[in-house]
Amino acid sequence: MTPLSASPGLRAAGCFVWPTLTTHTHTHMLTHTHHTVRDSSEKLTFIYAPVWYDYKEKLFDNTELTYVTDYMLCVFMSYGVFSLYTKTPDSPLRTRSMALFGLYAASVLSGAVAHQTMTTLDLINSDSFKWLWCVCVGTVAAAGGVMGSIMNHLTEHRPGTTPSVLSFVPVNSVPDIVWAVWSVTLTLVVCAGGMSMERPAADIFIAGLTQAVPTAAVAM
């Protein structure tokens, strides 16, 4: 195998992907929730109370700041896919990295459309919103499995002289199939409404939390 330090393609893809592992989720959370912590009456944002896409009131942000920021993020993520495809050699890492950017692009695009167009309670309770939001949140939940598979590839190509942050933890023993099941399972939970909160923006927090384990694995 080619050591990571000796492969320009792997270095380029790895350097491009790593900052994105947290940038998307953090920015997406902030833009979706910049109105959700204004006062204590909105504390329900942080309470796990699934509503299974059956909303009793409209607690959904339709401001330009939110959906314009999402459209901008979509452009950035799409550029990530294009840049990796055109500027790095073909490799499993490039493919997985492009998949990660693609999931994030789909997430923010569907989120932008929802925030721009779903402006009434009836629309929030429509099938159109349900599927838009399933894509928005489901792709974030699925991205964790792609991160895990990226970790596997980086671990395989880590030079023997490069220590892991937590070298005693056998993170490279997690098969790719486990990460695939991780992604599929969490996506199904999202589609079933298991992450659907009274305030839809809170769904993104929960989906983002599921990325903690794979993100930590990449950092190792």
Side-chain angles (χ1 to χ4, degrees):
M1 297 182 184
T2 304
L4 178 61
S5 60
S7 172
L10 289 176
R11 284 205 309 271
C15 290
F16 197 67
V17 168
W18 172 244
T20 308
L21 297 183
T22 54
T23 298
H24 166 270
T25 302
H26 291 168
T27 307
H28 203 39
M29 285 180 179
L30 289 173
T31 57
H32 279 231
T33 59
H34 73 278
H35 285 302
T36 64
V37 292
R38 290 176 298 184
D39 55 60
S40 59
S41 67
E42 296 181 344
K43 62 183 179 180
L44 61 85
T45 299
F46 307 101
I47 298 176
Y48 182 74
V51 295
W52 313 102
Y53 299 109
D54 182 18
Y55 305 100
K56 305 303 181 186
E57 57 181 316
K58 181 180 176 294
L59 298 169
F60 193 63
D61 184 12
N62 301 117
T63 61
E64 291 183 0
L65 176 62
T66 297
Y67 62 78
V68 169
T69 304
D70 275 353
Y71 283 127
M72 292 172 62
L73 281 171
C74 181
V75 171
F76 176 75
M77 298 301 163
S78 299
Y79 174 75
V81 175
F82 175 78
S83 181
L84 287 170
Y85 182 75
T86 58
K87 298 180 181 180
T88 61
D90 187 22
S91 73
L93 178 58
R94 185 185 77 164
T95 301
R96 299 172 197 190
S97 301
M98 289 171 60
L100 182 63
F101 277 101
L103 286 171
Y104 284 155
S107 174
V108 289
L109 178 59
S110 59
V113 173
H115 281 292
Q116 184 178 12
T117 62
M118 301 294 153
T119 56
T120 67
L121 180 59
D122 286 341
L123 288 173
I124 294 298
N125 281 307
S126 68
D127 287 339
S128 296
F129 177 80
K130 177 180 179 179
W131 292 116
L132 277 172
W133 211 240
C134 281
V135 172
C136 180
V137 181
T139 48
V140 172
V146 181
M147 292 181 190
S149 69
I150 289 174
M151 175 275 296
N152 284 349
H153 190 79
L154 292 174
T155 301
E156 291 173 3
H157 291 80
R158 178 188 294 131
T161 56
T162 303
S164 170
V165 176
L166 296 177
S167 57
F168 57 87
V169 179
V171 292
N172 59 327
S173 65
V174 181
D176 279 338
I177 187 62
V178 172
W179 293 117
V181 171
W182 173 288
S183 292
V184 172
T185 300
L186 288 177
T187 301
L188 291 176
V189 170
V190 170
C191 292
M195 296 185 192
S196 171
M197 304 295 107
E198 293 183 54
R199 186 181 299 279
D203 305 3
I204 296 294
F205 276 97
I206 298 174
L209 287 174
T210 67
Q211 296 183 357
V213 171
T215 299
V218 172
M220 293 177 188

